[in-house]
Amino acid sequence: MIPQIDLTRQHEALKAELAAAAARVLASCRFILGPEVAALESELARLCGVSHGIGVASGTDALVIALKAVGVRPGDEVITSAFSFVASATSVLMVDARPVFVDIDPGTYNLDPALVDKAVTPRTRAIMPVHLYGQPAAMDAITAIARARGLAVIEDAAQAVGASYGDKPAGAWGDVACLSFYPTKNLGGCGDGGMILTAREDVAGQVRRLRNHGSSRRYEHVELGYSSRLDELQAALLRVKLRRLEDWNQSRRRIAARYRELLAGVPLTLPEERLPARHVYHQFTVRTPKRDALAMALTDAGIGTTIHYPIAIPAQPMFALPDADRAFPHAARASAEVLSLPCFPELTDAEIEATSRAIRDALGRLH
Ligand SMILES: *Cc1c(COP(=O)(O)O)cnc(C)c1O
């Protein structure tokens, strides 16, 4: 059995360090907004090339709070991707703004900048690019549009911590960026968590208030905020993992390179690495019109796969936009064709070979 992701291998290797970190927090009895969170905030801010990191309770909360902090108000429009995890759109609804979907570039699965430019209206307040599967969106083009039109940029970097675009890390391009520590992310906690990154002093200040009941100092509340903090236990555990993040991301890139060698010539579209992006392969996602048959054959061969994502956001029942498939054809096609293969840093070469052989065999039978 080859799982699509297996956290037990990572945790087995880190068992003693994770236990020591947890014990340190339990002994301190300091559980909310203490030294571990502050340390993780500055470590991640440094890694992502910005001056402020602010821990929050989840990646979704990070998006919601970031939208508020850059000035998105009820009725504003926010341009977001038609093909992502649903939080890329629901976060916009949560601040009573309107998500305006834009189709993806079918090569990278990220926002197509040419379509972004066409989607701007007088009501547009922000653009929210997603760095899907670990590859940053075309941040030079997207930030140029934002500058020309006076819009804020919120990077959804939930899948791309440690990635970069050109000379800047993912997270350093926008006015603000959001990370998720959901356990399966490249930097995953042992529970929920998220972080907001920004180089803007004003945004950082407001995010710090918003995550903690709108308070500027203890029991003085200057605006309506949230109860959305990262806790000390998560931060301490995440700091253990953060020390390995660059090694893990390099392993993911090696795994991707190995899949490319072994799957060369197979009738399957492999992920495109579009320079100057440095992809960190949160997922190694392939595509084929025979996706469902391939997934079934791999399941039969004992190989785990996942579909990220089987329904494009505008086609989700909660949006049920009529004509969603025709309006966002690349997102619709991706949702029918993508398949994420086993990809996690501890995946062995033998497992990559076995997976690639099984794909070759299955597609040979299917063609
Ligand atoms: C995981 C994820 C989120 C949400 O993060 P949570 O921590 O689960 O709330 C948002 N956007 C993208 C692209 C994600 O992958």
Side-chain angles (χ1 to χ4, degrees):
M1 177 68 205
I2 303 174
Q4 204 261 326
I5 177 169
D6 180 5
L7 283 174
T8 61
R9 300 185 200 180
Q10 182 185 98
H11 281 228
E12 185 56 34
L14 299 178
K15 201 161 52 177
E17 278 180 80
L18 291 172
R24 186 169 75 225
V25 174
L26 293 176
S28 78
C29 284
R30 184 91 197 261
F31 295 118
I32 297 291
L33 297 184
E36 299 287 348
V37 169
L40 181 71
E41 288 175 339
S42 59
E43 288 160 5
L44 268 169
R46 196 174 329 120
L47 178 80
C48 298
V50 296
S51 37
H52 302 279
I54 302 117
V56 293
S58 71
T60 304
D61 277 10
L63 292 170
V64 169
I65 292 172
L67 283 159
K68 280 223 158 163
V70 300
V72 172
R73 297 287 169 258
D76 286 347
E77 292 177 359
V78 176
I79 292 173
T80 184
S81 177
F83 190 62
S84 176
F85 180 60
V86 74
S88 299
T90 50
S91 56
V92 177
L93 294 175
M94 287 175 198
V95 300
D96 297 314
R98 206 164 79 74
V100 172
F101 297 111
V102 162
D103 209 358
I104 51 169
D105 176 324
T108 61
Y109 306 101
N110 283 327
L111 273 184
D112 180 339
L115 299 178
V116 168
D117 201 43
K118 288 200 198 104
V120 175
T121 76
R123 303 228 58 150
T124 309
R125 180 61 61 103
I127 309 172
M128 219 161 67
V130 184
H131 306 323
L132 204 70
Y133 306 145
Q135 171 155 252
M139 293 311 294
D140 47 357
I142 290 169
T143 51
I145 294 166
R147 247 193 324 274
R149 309 279 203 147
L151 308 173
V153 173
I154 299 156
E155 290 178 70
D156 183 343
Q159 302 187 2
V161 61
S164 57
Y165 189 84
D167 58 356
K168 274 196 262 184
W173 281 87
D175 292 85
V176 60
C178 300
L179 302 179
S180 164
F181 304 128
Y182 187 81
T184 57
K185 299 290 158 79
N186 285 24
L187 178 63
C190 303
D192 276 312
M195 192 167 288
I196 292 168
L197 301 163
T198 183
R200 278 179 55 180
E201 212 63 51
D202 58 331
V203 171
Q206 197 180 7
V207 168
R208 281 185 202 283
R209 288 193 296 278
L210 287 173
R211 75 167 165 183
N212 199 18
H213 301 283
S215 64
S216 50
R217 56 197 171 101
R218 203 162 197 208
Y219 302 130
E220 180 182 79
H221 304 277
V222 296
E223 62 186 316
L224 178 61
Y226 302 87
S227 177
S228 181
R229 282 109 20 171
L230 183 66
D231 65 72
E232 287 285 289
L233 266 171
Q234 287 310 326
L237 298 169
L238 284 161
R239 291 181 68 209
V240 170
K241 296 192 177 194
L242 179 57
R243 291 199 283 276
R244 272 80 177 190
L245 180 66
E246 180 51 28
D247 283 349
W248 287 340
N249 280 343
Q250 281 180 23
S251 295
R252 289 174 180 277
R253 290 182 52 79
R254 268 198 304 276
I255 289 163
R258 192 72 183 117
Y259 271 132
R260 282 183 204 287
E261 283 169 15
L262 294 165
L263 292 172
V266 173
L268 191 67
T269 305
L270 303 181
E272 182 182 331
E273 255 189 61
R274 181 89 53 89
L275 293 173
R278 179 191 185 244
H279 200 318
V280 292
Y281 293 97
H282 171 58
Q283 301 296 345
F284 188 87
T285 302
V286 299
R287 70 188 293 170
T288 165
K290 301 196 158 75
R291 190 265 314 274
D292 292 338
L294 175 61
M296 215 167 332
L298 291 176
T299 303
D300 290 344
I303 295 166
T305 58
T306 310
I307 298 169
H308 301 102
Y309 298 90
I311 306 173
I313 302 182
Q316 289 289 350
M318 70 168 288
F319 292 102
L321 293 184
D323 271 351
D325 287 1
R326 215 160 335 140
F328 310 100
H330 294 305
R333 239 189 85 199
S335 69
E337 295 188 352
V338 294
L339 189 67
S340 300
L341 304 183
C343 184
F344 54 93
E346 300 79 12
L347 190 68
T348 66
D349 198 54
E351 289 172 319
I352 303 169
E353 283 173 14
T355 301
S356 303
R357 206 173 320 117
I359 292 170
R360 223 175 246 283
D361 291 350
L363 288 175
R365 283 195 305 276
L366 293 168
H367 271 82

